[in-house]
Amino acid sequence: MRRDICATVAVGVLLCAAQAFGQAAKARETTPEIPFDSVSFIKKMPPGLYMGEAIGVATNSKGHVFVMTRSGESRVFEFDRDGNFVKEFGEGSYGYGFAHGVRVDKDDNVWSVDEGSNVILKYAPDGKLLMVLGKRPDSIDQLNRMPGTAPYSGANRPYSFHRPTDVTWDPQGNIFVSDGYTDSRIVKYDKNGRFIKSAGTRGSGVNQFSTPHGITADAQGNIYVADRGNSRIVVLDNDLNWKTTFETVGAPWGLCISQGTPQFLYSTASSGTVMEVENAAITGEIYKLQLDGTVLGRFGKAGKALKEFASTHTLDCRNPNEVYVAEINAWRVQKVTLRPSSSSSSSRD
């Protein structure tokens, strides 16, 4: 019986992978390339420390860049606009276990998302801890859990998470969390961290998710979810009601929406954490979309050279033609500058 179940699961995984790769290949074939330049952003790390896996990246209103990394342990660093180290947030924090993302809100507060500790931390710009969402699992509760697995929980508890992945906010400051690997839901809190509601179960239908891996919001308060396991971007209204899906850009890992008017949505179709050869040939690019799902173009491909992306995990696109890319495999953050054609800019931008 166990062998039959494993075989069934394996077949399902292969079918899902084949579907995702097919969508990614089609997206690449039908989407124009956007010319761009890139540089490796981080110039100076703290003494004696080297960059590990770049898991999260975000910018503040001053142009400073925040990176969450797995460098033996999870850490959050701030760099100036030239890539020089400024300071660290929460060194040795109990809220860090296995990094998953960092975001900066409209007031320049810095938020870390940790799937290992099930904790989301809010820091003031000066590094003072302002809020804790979630609770780190007690050691005794972890004795029966296999490392590296993500069994569906469906616990749907108001104030605890199960491997959360990302956080965003609407213009009123309400907090939205993608939760994540084992709960497959989106959770809404008010600006003070009080639970409002949640939506989603595991699956591929309406009001279902399979690894909601990233989340972002537009100026109207609509919520965009990187539904990675279903190879689609899901759009929800501010009350977490289902609006639509975009299924034209492969399997999204990270999302971001630019500021200003109009706003643009960026989505990354990554090639897996180990960059398998067969995956790298058809994934790795980053897509630029209008908020109605119209795909404007793509840039990059899988690889470890500059202008290539080695398992992109998250993105920041505060400025519409300037994108910061956090890569798992290459242990770096690239700063990308897009050079859209004048005809494309005038007709689409």
Side-chain angles (χ1 to χ4, degrees):
M1 176 66 71
R2 181 177 176 83
R3 183 178 298 172
D4 292 341
I5 292 173
C6 291
T8 301
V9 171
V11 170
V13 170
L14 289 173
L15 289 174
C16 291
Q19 180 183 12
F21 295 156
Q23 290 177 355
K26 183 177 180 181
R28 173 179 287 185
E29 293 170 359
T30 58
T31 304
E33 290 191 53
I34 302 174
F36 73 104
D37 299 308
S38 76
V39 295
S40 183
F41 173 74
I42 297 174
K43 300 296 188 298
K44 186 177 181 180
M45 291 286 290
L49 185 65
Y50 296 89
M51 184 70 182
E53 295 178 344
I55 300 302
V57 62
T59 60
N60 69 6
S61 62
K62 300 177 181 178
H64 284 205
V65 178
F66 301 80
V67 178
M68 194 170 193
T69 176
R70 299 170 189 160
S71 305
E73 56 184 322
S74 296
R75 307 177 78 155
V76 178
F77 299 120
E78 178 182 356
F79 299 89
D80 66 20
R81 60 176 61 248
D82 296 318
N84 299 303
F85 173 75
V86 175
K87 66 175 179 287
E88 180 173 355
F89 286 73
E91 182 178 1
S93 173
Y94 184 67
Y96 297 160
F98 193 65
H100 204 274
V102 64
R103 295 286 193 180
V104 176
D105 65 23
K106 62 182 178 62
D107 299 313
D108 281 349
N109 299 307
V110 179
W111 299 64
S112 66
V113 181
D114 196 290
E115 66 163 299
S117 67
N118 291 333
V119 170
I120 296 173
L121 301 177
K122 175 185 178 181
Y123 296 99
D126 64 1
K128 180 182 179 181
L129 182 63
L130 300 177
M131 183 186 292
V132 178
L133 286 175
K135 180 185 183 300
R136 185 171 184 132
D138 296 321
S139 298
I140 194 169
D141 294 331
Q142 302 303 301
L143 294 178
N144 63 346
R145 294 186 179 274
M146 293 285 289
T149 62
Y152 178 58
S153 165
N156 194 27
R157 298 189 180 100
Y159 293 104
S160 64
F161 306 117
H162 291 81
R163 297 182 66 184
T165 54
D166 205 354
V167 63
T168 194
W169 314 269
D170 65 14
Q172 290 72 45
N174 293 309
I175 306 161
F176 298 81
V177 176
S178 51
D179 181 35
Y181 279 93
T182 61
D183 242 1
S184 297
R185 63 175 182 155
I186 306 302
V187 194
K188 180 179 180 179
Y189 301 90
D190 71 12
K191 63 182 180 180
N192 297 311
R194 295 186 178 93
F195 175 80
I196 297 176
K197 67 181 299 186
S198 65
T201 59
R202 178 167 288 186
S204 58
V206 173
N207 297 325
Q208 292 186 316
F209 304 96
S210 178
T211 313
H213 195 263
I215 192 169
T216 190
D218 65 22
Q220 285 69 49
N222 296 306
I223 306 302
Y224 299 74
V225 181
D227 190 9
R228 188 178 76 177
N230 287 320
S231 298
R232 65 189 182 186
I233 299 170
V234 174
V235 186
L236 308 173
D237 70 15
N238 197 257
D239 292 320
L240 303 186
N241 297 306
W242 187 279
K243 293 186 69 174
T244 189
T245 62
F246 308 149
E247 301 180 0
T248 54
V249 291
W253 283 47
L255 300 176
C256 64
I257 292 180
S258 63
Q259 296 187 0
T261 304
Q263 293 187 292
F264 297 100
L265 171 67
Y266 287 87
S267 175
T268 173
S270 296
S271 59
T273 56
V274 293
M275 288 189 66
E276 301 91 339
V277 173
E278 62 272 19
N279 298 357
I282 55 173
T283 63
E285 59 269 24
I286 296 170
Y287 291 89
K288 180 180 182 180
L289 300 86
Q290 293 177 336
L291 296 189
D292 63 1
T294 301
V295 182
L296 300 177
R298 61 176 172 84
F299 58 93
K301 62 180 181 180
K304 294 189 176 181
L306 287 178
K307 304 182 72 173
E308 298 176 344
F309 304 116
S311 303
T312 299
H313 197 253
T314 52
L315 304 168
D316 178 274
C317 55
R318 178 181 292 264
N319 300 314
N321 288 316
E322 186 176 272
V323 183
Y324 288 87
V325 181
E327 300 170 71
I328 296 176
N329 229 289
W331 295 13
R332 67 184 176 189
V333 171
Q334 286 192 69
K335 180 181 178 181
V336 169
T337 303
L338 303 183
R339 295 186 281 106
S341 65
S342 56
S343 59
S344 173
S345 298
S346 60
S347 62
R348 292 173 172 171
D349 296 5

